[in-house]
Amino acid sequence: MNKDKPFADALKAKAAEIGFAACGIAPADAAPQAAARLRAWLDEGAHGEMLWMEARAGERASPRGLWPAVESVIALGMSYAPGRDPLALAAHPERGRVSVYAQGGDYHDVVKRALKTLARWLVEQAGGEVKVFVDTAPVMEKPLAEAAGLGWQGKHTNLVSRAQGSWLFLGAIYTTLALPADTPARDRCGSCDACQRACPTDAFPAPYRLDARRCISYLTIEHKGAIPLALRAGIGNRVYGCDDCLAVCPWNKFASQAAAHRAFLPRAELAAPALADLLALDDAGFRQVFAGSPIKRIGRDRMVRNACIAAGNSGDVALAAPLTALLDDASDVVREAAGWALAQLLPATAPAG
């Protein structure tokens, strides 16, 4: 069933009422170049241990690869624009830096709830079938959002919006309705390379290309084993994710915290956690602190491993005591990271050879 522009405008007004800061529409065959780019990225091995990216690459390559009946994609963005400088904690090495997106409620739950509300309204108003997706499904949200006019994929490979900067959670509604498409966004990065220069671990081999194996977000969240020695110093005091390439984008000056969804306001215990507290976490303590947070999915061992790396980079010898207690931890990765950190803080105690 075809719908007209007034209906599309009503859809966008409803999306705004529900809490979305951006809404656009693309045809199901939009972003045809995304499949080839995905294949090249996977062939390079740049996805690291994210084997799920390769396992469902065929479905991810295009909307119809996942659902042949889809006619239109409604791309949506929910703002999580921060109220303070995401880089400020670089000057406080005794504190852990948590990516802005993970300091509040779990975006998977918040965005999906809103998507379902909008999808129900759509079916009630116009019929058709729908499917809703956040980022746990094989959907290329960023190319589709670009095709729907929400913004463009910047040189850091994330979406950049003229109105919201780099601070948008993306979701999508696939529908069998034929909706009027919006004009795709135009790349406005120009000659700027701020995001490329900001990366502490040189994760960008070229503009618009990311090697996840060197990305701090990947290393602290997706990577399960020991973090490569050569990349540890660059991690600094980041214990979950990294905002550097996003935070330096000049387009963020147009992003307003007033547009941010209240569910993503930072929780005090996640905004600037003390490394000493993170090092002391057991399983029960981890579950208590990170309940309702996207951080909970990495588990206690990875979080404590990350805190050990940050402690080793901190120069704070007061952290030697909690690190020493972790030398007998049940987790191999925690024991190894604690030993490395102690060697950084107290080099005289490092084993010979």
Side-chain angles (χ1 to χ4, degrees):
M1 181 187 299
N2 291 306
K3 303 301 291 183
D4 56 13
K5 187 177 183 302
F7 179 79
D9 291 340
L11 171 70
K12 292 172 186 176
K14 186 65 178 179
E17 177 187 317
I18 292 169
F20 289 105
C23 177
I25 300 167
D29 57 359
Q33 75 285 356
R37 291 177 181 174
L38 173 63
R39 188 70 260 165
W41 188 70
L42 293 171
D43 289 345
E44 290 173 7
H47 58 304
E49 295 176 3
M50 296 185 289
L51 302 181
W52 41 270
M53 294 288 294
E54 188 162 9
R56 302 184 70 180
E59 294 173 310
R60 190 179 299 274
S62 71
R64 288 195 173 119
L66 179 60
W67 188 28
V70 62
E71 289 292 332
S72 302
V73 175
I74 305 165
L76 296 129
M78 193 172 280
S79 172
Y80 65 102
R84 59 183 179 179
D85 180 6
L87 306 181
L89 281 182
H92 298 275
E94 77 285 358
R95 298 278 172 177
R97 293 168 65 181
V98 173
S99 186
V100 170
Y101 85 84
Q103 292 180 19
D106 191 334
Y107 70 95
H108 297 92
D109 300 334
V110 178
V111 175
K112 193 156 197 176
R113 224 172 11 248
L115 288 173
K116 288 180 175 179
T117 299
L118 184 60
R120 281 194 298 270
W121 178 91
L122 179 64
V123 172
E124 289 168 0
Q125 297 295 314
E129 296 179 63
V130 296
K131 294 183 185 292
V132 303
F133 305 103
V134 192
D135 70 353
T136 53
V139 172
M140 299 278 274
E141 295 100 338
K142 289 181 282 189
L144 290 171
E146 180 175 286
L150 268 61
W152 66 96
Q153 275 192 267
K155 292 179 182 178
H156 52 25
T157 74
N158 290 290
L159 196 80
V160 183
S161 161
R162 294 181 71 181
Q164 310 298 334
S166 294
W167 312 112
L168 281 178
F169 290 126
L170 299 177
I173 298 175
Y174 286 9
T175 175
T176 54
L177 298 172
L179 300 173
D182 289 293
T183 302
R186 181 167 65 87
D187 187 330
R188 296 178 181 273
C189 285
S191 61
C192 178
D193 64 350
C195 60
Q196 312 288 285
R197 291 182 284 108
C199 182
T201 50
D202 296 322
F204 299 108
Y208 307 103
R209 289 178 56 202
L210 171 70
D211 187 339
R213 296 165 295 185
R214 298 186 65 88
C215 174
I216 294 174
S217 286
Y218 168 82
L219 292 168
T220 57
I221 299 172
E222 304 292 346
H223 183 64
K224 297 177 182 177
I227 291 174
L229 291 172
L231 301 177
R232 294 185 183 188
I235 289 174
N237 60 338
R238 301 167 187 83
V239 296
Y240 188 92
C242 180
D243 292 315
D244 291 35
C245 67
L246 302 179
V248 300
C249 178
W251 286 98
N252 287 333
K253 65 179 177 285
F254 298 109
S256 169
Q257 195 197 20
H261 197 289
R262 291 189 59 80
F264 307 131
L265 293 176
R267 288 162 44 183
E269 69 273 23
L270 302 184
L275 291 181
D277 292 341
L278 297 177
L279 293 170
L281 287 173
D282 58 13
D283 284 328
F286 175 84
R287 288 194 297 270
Q288 180 179 1
V289 172
F290 298 110
S293 161
I295 298 173
K296 66 183 181 296
R297 77 182 185 88
I298 70 170
R300 175 263 179 188
D301 292 350
R302 260 183 273 181
M303 172 53 74
V304 177
R305 174 203 64 183
N306 297 344
C308 287
I309 302 301
N313 290 329
S314 72
D316 185 357
V317 295
L319 295 174
L323 286 167
T324 300
L326 292 170
L327 293 176
D328 294 321
D329 196 82
S331 166
D332 292 345
V333 294
V334 170
R335 291 198 305 273
E336 187 279 331
W340 175 86
L342 279 168
Q344 308 312 302
L345 297 179
L346 306 172
T349 66

